[in-house]
Amino acid sequence: HFPIHVIGGGLAGSEAAWQIANAGVPVILHEMRGVRGTEAHKTDDFAELVCSNSFRSDDATSNAVGVIHAEIRMAGSLIMACADKHQVPAGGALAVDRDGFSAAVTQAIASHPLITVLREEIQGLPPAEWDQAIIATGPLTAPGLASAIQAETGADALAFFDAIAPIVYRESINMDVCWYQSRYDKVGPGGTGKDYINCPMDEAQYNAFVDALIAGDAVGFKEWEGTPYFDGCLPIEVMAERGRETLRHGPMKPMGLTNAHNPTVKAYAVVQLRQDNALGTLYNMVGFQTKLKYGAQAEIFRLIPGLENAEFARLGGLHRNTYINSPTLLDRSLVLKSRPGLRFAGQITGCEGYVESASIGLLAGRFAAAERKGEAPLLPPDTTALGSLLNHITGGHIVSDEEPGKRSFQPMNINFGLFPELEPGSIVKPEGIKRFRGKDKTIMKRQLIAKRALADCAKWLGVSAPVLAESA
Ligand code: FAD
């Protein structure tokens, strides 16, 4: 076989190279560290963890990230094998000795007979003679390659910062307080005039909310990130600081909305949430990108009427982050539609996190190896964590109907909101239990989704599913 070229030896590129080589196909891995560094990496090792040393929860019975750990372990992940080997105590989380972990990945890559490592910066799109390549250059892709990607995909299709608004699980929103309505009942393409969930505030609630935002603890930008404030992308707490009325005339404007529970009283301000995924399980808080610390966000956003018990699939953020508009650019097997043979993997595709980046690297590697061997890429079932994450990246995300043309795809961690719903009737009150509350149902739902994911992933890979202890 001709080699497949992988650009970037981070979490995704290392995993992709490993999967390709283990499928019997040679790989050339191009990594620039050693010749040129990034603003966040400190070593020349592969799969360096640039910040936390945690891979988050390892509970595969009822935690979405634990499920994806278990799935990629089944698929022979190098990243998980090295993480397991270099684990340090961290309760239910999987945390690693970062140096031992990256040294192990580097050693495995360097000693694989089918992997050749070239320490060089790739400055443009892969040349035609490479015919198959994977770009896995991460959130800090070097500028030369980033410009080449931008020239190929269009200026709006490559972002250099994310502007992440919090995402709430639909089932945790109190619809006795909130109501469905699009502003002025506007019906956009594919819309119904009831596409938003609205949370009303009176004047006192609004003032208390603005005060809380201003007093909230925020995270600063790192020096190398700069301050990427641009129109339409101000953090909500910065807007609050600019004047008491700013939010009421911006993302929290009440115009064109009538409270279905109290039609005669005009709300003083309204927070809108927009459906975020095709499944309808997740809603994002429109215009609420923020640099507030996670703890402060959860506390302050639960002051919003109807969100008292909100569960967040993702909290907000604003970071330096190079990523492409994957849902429009990539096909289901991560190939850039305009360049057959060229795949993307890792955080640059719009997933978020070490494990998610490695997982998309694993898929890209397997798909590319299959293609090289003349086989069709075998996509993971939609019910698996891998399939759900792949769906988010390559198509399951819906685009705003009120703001046509506006990019709304933002990076995402794996979470249960990305999985398809269970068959109706799957959640049954266990015998002998008197009260079966909403919280119990949510836990059972997550356990059933996790179980289904592992079983379907095992079937997809042709291996046996891991035997897991039941979670408490
Ligand atoms: P990377 O791991 O960054 O790998 C990309 C590789 O490509 C790098 O080795 C880079 O040197 C190389 N490269 C770039 N351009 C070129 C080029 N032109 N030619 C050749 N090589 C190139 N996630 C978490 O789960 N937990 C965290 O705590 C966390 N903290 C983060 C902190 C920061 C500052 C950043 C930027 C991100 C953080 N992330 C975190 C998000 C993300 O999970 C990691 O960035 C993760 O490393 C992404 O994996 P990747 O393989 O896509 O990219």
Side-chain angles (χ1 to χ4, degrees):
H1 295 298
F2 287 116
I4 295 173
H5 295 257
V6 176
I7 308 173
L11 275 296
S14 302
E15 187 65 63
W18 185 253
Q19 294 289 328
I20 297 167
N22 281 352
V25 176
V27 185
I28 299 178
L29 178 57
H30 308 259
E31 168 54 55
M32 71 175 183
R33 281 178 295 127
V35 180
R36 176 185 182 135
T38 79
E39 297 88 342
H41 291 84
K42 296 192 172 64
T43 75
D44 294 342
D45 277 350
F46 292 124
E48 180 183 331
L49 305 178
V50 288
C51 186
S52 153
N53 66 330
S54 173
F55 281 42
R56 319 205 304 283
S57 173
D58 202 32
D59 171 11
T61 63
S62 59
N63 185 294
V65 74
V67 175
I68 212 165
H69 285 174
E71 289 187 5
I72 63 173
R73 276 191 187 106
M74 279 191 262
S77 159
L78 171 67
I79 294 299
M80 288 311 292
C82 296
D84 288 338
K85 215 160 123 217
H86 292 276
Q87 187 169 4
V88 295
L94 172 60
V96 304
D97 171 295
R98 67 176 72 242
D99 296 331
F101 164 76
S102 296
V105 176
T106 306
Q107 165 65 20
I109 295 277
S111 58
H112 199 296
L114 287 180
I115 303 179
T116 306
V117 173
L118 297 179
R119 295 278 180 176
E120 60 180 358
E121 178 189 349
I122 302 298
Q123 303 211 352
L125 289 185
E129 61 270 21
W130 286 10
D131 89 304
Q132 265 218 67
I134 298 175
I135 295 181
T137 45
L140 305 172
T141 295
L145 180 57
S147 311
I149 295 169
Q150 203 167 28
E152 173 75 16
T153 58
D156 290 343
L158 182 78
F160 290 97
F161 282 90
D162 52 35
I164 294 180
I167 290 196
V168 181
Y169 288 108
R170 157 70 192 81
E171 62 195 10
S172 70
I173 301 174
N174 182 357
M175 295 308 292
D176 293 337
V177 174
C178 306
W179 74 98
Y180 285 103
Q181 188 187 8
S182 303
R183 207 181 289 285
Y184 300 110
D185 304 305
K186 193 172 155 192
V187 183
T192 60
K194 292 186 184 299
D195 301 329
Y196 289 72
I197 292 179
N198 301 282
C199 312
M201 276 188 190
D202 63 25
E203 187 170 356
Q205 288 166 330
Y206 176 78
N207 281 323
F209 183 66
V210 169
D211 290 340
L213 284 176
I214 294 171
D217 228 359
V219 205
F221 285 99
K222 297 189 180 69
E223 201 185 315
W224 52 265
E225 288 185 302
T227 308
Y229 296 157
F230 43 92
D231 269 358
C233 198
L234 279 181
I236 191 91
E237 64 281 7
V238 173
M239 276 189 260
E241 269 168 18
R242 289 194 171 176
R244 189 145 290 268
E245 294 293 295
T246 308
L247 287 174
R248 233 166 66 75
H249 292 116
M252 291 176 67
K253 59 179 177 281
M255 272 90 78
L257 296 167
T258 307
N259 186 343
H261 303 292
N262 200 356
T264 52
V265 178
K266 186 95 200 125
Y268 190 73
V270 173
V271 173
Q272 286 205 300
L273 294 103
R274 181 170 54 225
Q275 187 174 333
D276 198 75
N277 61 343
L279 298 169
T281 49
L282 299 174
Y283 275 73
N284 73 66
M285 299 175 65
V286 181
F288 270 59
Q289 57 276 355
T290 174
K291 288 291 279 181
L292 288 172
K293 288 190 174 156
Y294 283 175
Q297 286 189 40
E299 203 174 298
I300 296 171
F301 296 149
R302 288 191 185 122
L303 295 175
I304 297 169
L307 301 189
E308 309 82 16
N309 298 314
E311 291 295 329
F312 295 93
R314 176 182 84 190
L315 284 159
L318 205 60
H319 315 98
R320 170 77 177 80
N321 190 6
T322 312
Y323 68 99
I324 58 172
N325 196 18
S326 295
T328 55
L329 295 175
L330 303 184
D331 78 6
R332 293 297 309 271
S333 77
L334 300 162
V335 172
L336 187 67
K337 289 175 191 161
S338 63
R339 283 223 176 192
L342 178 58
R343 285 187 162 78
F344 280 78
Q347 183 130 336
I348 198 168
T349 63
C351 61
E352 168 80 30
Y354 301 147
V355 182
E356 290 84 344
S357 299
S359 299
I360 297 300
L362 180 142
L363 289 178
R366 292 175 88 94
F367 296 159
E371 199 176 312
R372 172 61 89 232
K373 292 163 142 187
E375 300 159 8
L378 205 55
L379 301 181
D382 291 347
T383 47
T384 60
L386 286 168
S388 301
L389 187 61
L390 185 64
N391 272 343
H392 168 67
I393 291 168
T394 61
H397 177 84
I398 63 163
V399 175
S400 161
D401 64 334
E402 249 193 22
E403 300 139 287
K406 186 167 174 185
R407 248 190 86 138
S408 60
F409 177 64
Q410 294 289 339
M412 186 80 135
N413 285 124
I414 185 71
N415 65 75
F416 280 117
L418 298 182
F419 290 72
E421 289 287 358
L422 295 165
E423 295 286 318
S426 305
I427 300 172
V428 184
K429 178 164 134 354
E431 275 182 40
I433 287 194
K434 256 202 189 140
R435 277 189 65 214
F436 193 49
R437 296 161 308 171
K439 204 169 163 208
D440 301 324
K441 280 189 194 153
T442 304
I443 294 172
M444 182 182 277
K445 180 174 162 186
R446 291 178 181 179
Q447 288 172 337
L448 291 171
I449 290 178
K451 213 170 188 174
R452 177 182 70 178
L454 295 185
D456 289 354
C457 186
K459 229 182 279 165
W460 171 61
L461 292 166
V463 301
S464 359
V467 180
L468 302 168
E470 287 297 320
S471 68

